[in-house]
């Protein structure tokens, strides 16, 4: 029987988090997953980078992790799919994952892949969002949690948080403030979708 938790009696989603770098969102999601409000249980971490700092959090919290460099993308994706199926994963959270998943992969997890992006989508899809927002004299930027579809950063938006851009902001100072908000937004988005299925 599936475990029921929390006041809303969520079904715990077995979740894989995909990373490529620092992993602050991974760390945050792991900590969230230990709380009673969490609808997710993280049982896999997939990294496209063997040196990703985020892997330290997988080790620290004893979560299985695997590294796929995506040099042969389709081959690696097929291995990942087998591995996720074996572990009965039913949700994927992308968190700073720098590879673009194929249409085939996304279709296999249709509606079950989420991503966090550091801009107010649909503005500033892709990379270097903070630099572009500052250079365009935007008054606000922010972050977005969205479903992943086969078009980059274009899936249905789940939640967004606006962050004011200050005159003195550099891409680094803005990134830092937005990242703080990302850590609040990702758990909120998970609660939102799974408490109203
Ligand atoms: C975050 O800003 C996320 O929105 C973007 O990549 C960054 C990853 O940061 N997709 P971290 O690795 O979670 O610290």
């Amino acid at each position: 029987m599936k475990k029921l938790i929390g006041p809303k009696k969520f079904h715990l989603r077995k979740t894989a988090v995909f990373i490529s770098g620092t992993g602050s969102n991974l760390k945050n999601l792991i900590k969230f997953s230990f709380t009673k409000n969490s609808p997710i249980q993280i049982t896999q971490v997939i990294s496209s980078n063997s040196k990703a700092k985020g892997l330290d959090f997988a080790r620290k919290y004893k979560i299985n992790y695997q590294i796929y460099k995506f040099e042969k993308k389709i081959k690696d994706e097929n291995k990942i799919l087998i591995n996720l199926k074996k572990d009965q994963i039913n949700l994927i959270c992308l968190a700073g994952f720098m590879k673009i998943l194929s249409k085939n992969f996304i279709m296999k997890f249709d509606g079950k892949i989420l991503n966090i992006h550091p801009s107010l989508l649909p503005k500033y899809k892709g990379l270097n969002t903070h630099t572009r927002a500052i250079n365009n004299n935007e008054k606000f930027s922010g972050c977005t949690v969205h479903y992943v579809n086969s078009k980059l950063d274009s899936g249905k938006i789940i939640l967004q948080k606006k962050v004011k851009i200050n005159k003195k902001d550099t891409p680094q100072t803005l990134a830092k403030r937005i990242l703080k908000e990302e850590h609040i937004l990702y758990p909120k988005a998970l609660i939102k979708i799974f408490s109203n299925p």
Side-chain angles (χ1 to χ4, degrees), residues 13-69:
R13 261 70 179 184
K14 278 190 101 183
T15 302
V17 182
F18 285 28
I19 62 164
S20 298
T22 315
S24 70
N25 277 290
L26 167 66
K27 180 184 174 197
N28 184 63
L29 287 175
I30 294 172
K31 289 195 164 170
F32 168 65
S33 75
F34 296 147
T35 67
K36 71 174 189 337
N37 287 327
S38 169
I40 64 164
Q41 177 192 18
I42 300 170
T43 57
Q44 288 279 338
V45 171
I46 303 285
S47 175
S48 63
N49 170 7
S50 58
K51 296 200 175 81
K53 193 167 163 272
L55 288 172
D56 290 345
F57 302 120
R59 292 185 192 103
K60 178 168 174 193
Y61 293 101
K62 302 200 168 17
I63 297 170
N64 284 328
Y65 66 87
Q66 306 212 4
I67 296 153
Y68 296 92
K69 293 193 175 158

Side-chain angles (χ1 to χ4, degrees), residues 19-27 54 57 94-98 115-119 129-130 143-144 153 175 178-179 182-183:
I19 62 164
S20 298
T22 315
S24 70
N25 277 290
L26 167 66
K27 180 184 174 197
F57 302 120
L94 306 184
F97 184 64
M98 299 304 285
N115 183 38
I116 185 146
H117 184 77
S119 78
T129 55
H130 308 308
C143 46
T144 304
D153 299 329
I178 290 181
L179 196 59
E182 291 183 30
H183 297 162

Side-chain angles (χ1 to χ4, degrees), residues 67-83:
I67 296 153
Y68 296 92
K69 293 193 175 158
F70 278 69
E71 278 155 6
K72 290 184 179 151
K73 177 164 154 164
I74 301 301
K75 237 182 178 178
D76 277 357
E77 285 191 344
N78 286 338
K79 283 188 203 158
I80 294 173
L81 283 169
I82 292 170
N83 159 37

Side-chain angles (χ1 to χ4, degrees), residues 36-169:
K36 71 174 189 337
N37 287 327
S38 169
I40 64 164
Q41 177 192 18
I42 300 170
T43 57
Q44 288 279 338
V45 171
I46 303 285
S47 175
S48 63
N49 170 7
S50 58
K51 296 200 175 81
K53 193 167 163 272
L55 288 172
D56 290 345
F57 302 120
R59 292 185 192 103
K60 178 168 174 193
Y61 293 101
K62 302 200 168 17
I63 297 170
N64 284 328
Y65 66 87
Q66 306 212 4
I67 296 153
Y68 296 92
K69 293 193 175 158
F70 278 69
E71 278 155 6
K72 290 184 179 151
K73 177 164 154 164
I74 301 301
K75 237 182 178 178
D76 277 357
E77 285 191 344
N78 286 338
K79 283 188 203 158
I80 294 173
L81 283 169
I82 292 170
N83 159 37
L84 298 186
K85 195 169 178 197
K86 217 189 275 168
D87 200 21
Q88 295 180 311
I89 296 288
N90 43 31
L91 180 73
I92 294 174
C93 290
L94 306 184
F97 184 64
M98 299 304 285
K99 301 287 177 187
I100 295 175
L101 296 165
S102 72
K103 212 172 186 175
N104 171 59
F105 187 100
I106 292 167
M107 268 164 49
K108 295 261 163 61
F109 270 87
D110 194 22
K112 292 176 183 158
I113 309 179
L114 310 184
N115 183 38
I116 185 146
H117 184 77
S119 78
L120 292 174
L121 289 173
K123 281 193 164 179
Y124 306 112
K125 297 172 183 175
L127 298 175
N128 303 319
T129 55
H130 308 308
T131 307
R132 288 189 283 147
I134 290 172
N135 289 347
N136 281 347
N137 293 318
E138 296 281 4
K139 292 207 164 44
F140 292 94
S141 188
C143 46
T144 304
V145 177
H146 64 95
Y147 288 101
V148 171
N149 66 14
S150 56
K151 282 196 188 148
L152 184 70
D153 299 329
S154 298
K156 186 171 172 233
I157 291 171
I158 301 163
L159 272 186
Q160 292 189 302
K161 174 74 186 182
K162 245 184 178 183
V163 173
K164 194 172 179 314
I165 301 181
N166 300 326
K167 286 225 163 65
K168 285 188 180 160
D169 262 328

